[in-house]
Amino acid sequence: MTTQPHSYESGEDGFFGPFGGCFVSETLAQAVEELRLAYAHYRNDPAFIAEFHEELADYVGRPSPVYYAKRLSEETGGARIFLKREDLNHTGAHKINNVIGQAMLAKRMGKHRIIAETGAGQHGVAVATICARYGLECVIYMGSTDMQRQQPNVQRMQLLGATVTPVTTGSCTLKDAMNDAIRDWVAHVDDTFYLIGSVAGMHPYPTMVRDFQTVIGKECLLQVPALFQRLGLSQSLPDAVIACVGGGSNAMGIFHPYLEHESVRLIGVEAAGMGLDSGLHASSIQRGSTGVLHGSRSLILQDDLGQVQQTHSISAGLDYPGVGPEHAWLHELGRAEYVGITDAEALHAFHQLCRVEGIIPALEASHAVAYAIKLAATLTNEHTILVNLSGRGDKDMETVVNSSLHREAS
Ligand SMILES: *Cc1c(COP(=O)(O)O)cnc(C)c1O
């Protein structure tokens, strides 16, 4: 038997094995096709690529460092833990990387009006930021429940000049905001660009968003060997790369450049909420089934009748009932592993990182840190784990302080 090296490239049609694709109504088909052609052109355009990297350097502050979390590693007593510091980006998370790429594309396509959905408000803030930077009109759809839970982000978006439109259908949260944004797009295809915040949605979004986010992993491929050498480690690749998975964009961004390095374990951490068997979680890969949501086939949390289920996570950014199709495929291929971390475990890791490293992580990223700590404890200090620290935790102060779990966990 010969073993073929695996190809992890998606098809031209946006399918990742059985997942992905473009399931849209006729009214949207043309707008999606226009986007697909524009992206297919500009992704190979040297001027576009050069401007993207200038923006990332001058406006976002890239490259973000890779940091050896020495005290965390020593306290854990096992593998060495390294953090890719996406929390240091302008606007406080990885989301800005993708938003800049899509906004640049919108300008080149002659679209002056940007619409986006947001759950926690982090993607909305990034979009409002870049619309201010480029002088574009900005409309953000946000569930009315989320608007109440995330008041400071609503105020930030308004300060930046965006219109925040409340969504009062369904569960009044992220998936409903995405539905309303898609409806708006259908009604205004001529002048409007729909800026999706994760590797979800119809083709070409999962591929396009992943491409913009791979700057994270590409930087790591250069930074990690240099740092390992400074520390006197002989290897040049980490043993494992860990990232939290909501829609899956920060995880795809760090995983993708490592896909061909088969010795590197890739581990996606889903929100297990109150527990994977509690019914109160957002673990679409571990507990979902195949279905179509927002224009692509993937693993989604749905009941027997195909109704999308309510999700729960302490971190609003992981609270999405679907996941990017490329993750569903990597799961099926066995190239990436997917695990769950509960609210309580994430909170515990949040406090530990604050206390021993002086870094306040986003609750989303705390899920990845929590799993890294668990895994590190089973390994030796010859081993290395690279964690994508997707964002900072300023936005989560209130949740953490108000959490009753806070007392249980500490
Ligand atoms: C939005 C967000 C996430 C989840 O989105 P992905 O597309 O899965 O990366 C994770 N971390 C932070 C800090 C976020 O803001």
Side-chain angles (χ1 to χ4, degrees):
M1 206 177 88
T2 56
T3 45
Q4 297 278 329
H6 235 304
S7 165
Y8 298 107
E9 262 317 298
S10 56
E12 280 295 301
D13 50 3
F15 274 94
F16 302 90
F19 303 108
C22 184
F23 299 86
V24 296
S25 63
E26 247 171 80
T27 45
L28 257 193
Q30 210 199 318
V32 173
E33 179 63 5
E34 190 190 349
L35 173 65
R36 191 185 68 75
L37 290 174
Y39 182 60
H41 172 73
Y42 286 111
R43 73 185 298 191
N44 298 312
D45 175 33
F48 183 87
I49 296 165
E51 187 185 324
F52 180 55
H53 287 285
E54 278 165 26
E55 289 289 277
L56 291 178
D58 299 346
Y59 193 65
V60 177
R62 303 202 72 90
S64 65
V66 173
Y67 166 73
Y68 173 35
K70 186 163 183 281
R71 287 193 1 105
L72 179 68
S73 305
E74 285 171 0
E75 191 168 281
T76 304
R80 300 186 203 217
I81 300 171
F82 296 81
L83 306 175
K84 176 63 169 165
R85 299 289 309 275
E86 292 299 298
D87 60 310
L88 295 177
N89 294 339
H90 181 44
T91 68
H94 66 291
K95 290 204 169 72
I96 192 86
N97 304 324
N98 161 53
V99 165
I100 286 182
Q102 288 193 54
M104 283 176 46
L105 192 59
K107 276 198 308 179
R108 280 167 170 76
M109 291 172 71
K111 311 281 182 188
H112 302 288
R113 182 173 176 268
I114 304 285
I115 58 170
E117 79 292 334
T118 198
Q122 292 304 105
H123 176 56
V125 168
V127 173
T129 298
I130 220 64
C131 287
R133 160 96 181 80
Y134 292 157
L136 299 164
E137 186 188 339
C138 181
V139 178
I140 304 292
Y141 286 91
M142 188 169 189
S144 54
T145 305
D146 287 337
M147 282 180 74
Q148 278 162 18
R149 292 193 289 199
Q150 310 287 339
Q151 262 301 311
N153 274 343
V154 174
Q155 286 156 355
R156 272 183 200 111
M157 287 185 268
Q158 288 166 343
L159 273 176
L160 292 161
T163 303
V164 183
T165 304
V167 174
T168 53
T169 51
S171 54
C172 306
T173 59
L174 178 59
K175 75 168 169 47
D176 313 292
M178 209 155 167
N179 288 334
D180 270 25
I182 291 174
R183 264 192 286 275
D184 177 316
W185 198 21
V186 171
H188 303 99
V189 284
D190 288 343
D191 68 341
T192 296
F193 187 101
Y194 178 28
L195 208 164
I196 294 186
S198 192
V199 288
M202 66 290 289
H203 182 60
Y205 287 100
T207 306
M208 177 169 67
V209 176
R210 177 256 278 160
D211 288 349
F212 291 137
Q213 292 292 3
T214 52
V215 65
I216 302 172
K218 285 178 185 161
E219 286 175 4
C220 290
L221 279 181
L222 299 175
Q223 293 168 310
V224 167
L227 179 54
F228 282 6
Q229 197 174 28
R230 254 167 47 211
L231 294 170
L233 297 166
S234 57
Q235 65 267 46
S236 61
L237 290 167
D239 293 293
V241 174
I242 301 182
C244 64
V245 177
S249 69
N250 87 88
M252 276 321 307
I254 198 165
F255 286 0
H256 197 262
Y258 283 101
L259 284 178
E260 64 193 68
H261 301 281
E262 302 270 354
S263 71
V264 180
R265 284 174 67 183
L266 304 175
I267 305 173
V269 184
E270 295 190 297
M274 307 296 282
L276 280 180
D277 299 317
S278 68
L280 295 169
H281 59 76
S283 299
S284 320
I285 297 181
Q286 295 165 91
R287 288 293 183 274
S289 54
T290 303
V292 173
L293 180 65
H294 299 135
S296 73
R297 182 182 294 129
S298 190
L299 293 171
I300 58 184
L301 291 169
Q302 57 190 338
D303 65 19
D304 294 341
L305 299 171
Q307 288 293 322
V308 175
Q309 282 173 319
Q310 288 282 11
T311 50
H312 164 82
S313 170
I314 190 167
S315 60
L318 300 184
D319 211 347
Y320 178 63
V323 67
E326 196 166 7
H327 283 292
W329 190 48
L330 292 177
H331 170 70
E332 189 170 291
L333 293 174
R335 177 63 188 94
E337 308 157 48
Y338 295 86
V339 298
I341 282 290
T342 64
D343 290 350
E345 290 172 321
L347 267 174
H348 189 80
F350 174 98
H351 286 289
Q352 198 175 354
L353 201 66
C354 291
R355 194 167 40 73
V356 304
E357 294 291 352
I359 296 172
I360 301 177
L363 281 171
E364 292 84 359
S366 301
H367 287 71
V369 173
Y371 192 74
I373 293 169
K374 266 193 187 177
L375 179 63
T378 69
L379 302 171
T380 73
N381 72 356
E382 308 272 280
H383 294 105
T384 54
I385 297 175
L386 175 62
V387 179
N388 198 10
L389 201 74
S390 55
R392 59 177 171 246
D394 315 34
K395 67 182 178 63
D396 297 316
M397 284 300 105
E398 204 183 305
T399 308
V400 169
V401 171
N402 289 343
S403 175
S404 55
L405 290 164
H406 171 217
R407 283 178 290 277
E408 286 165 33
S410 53

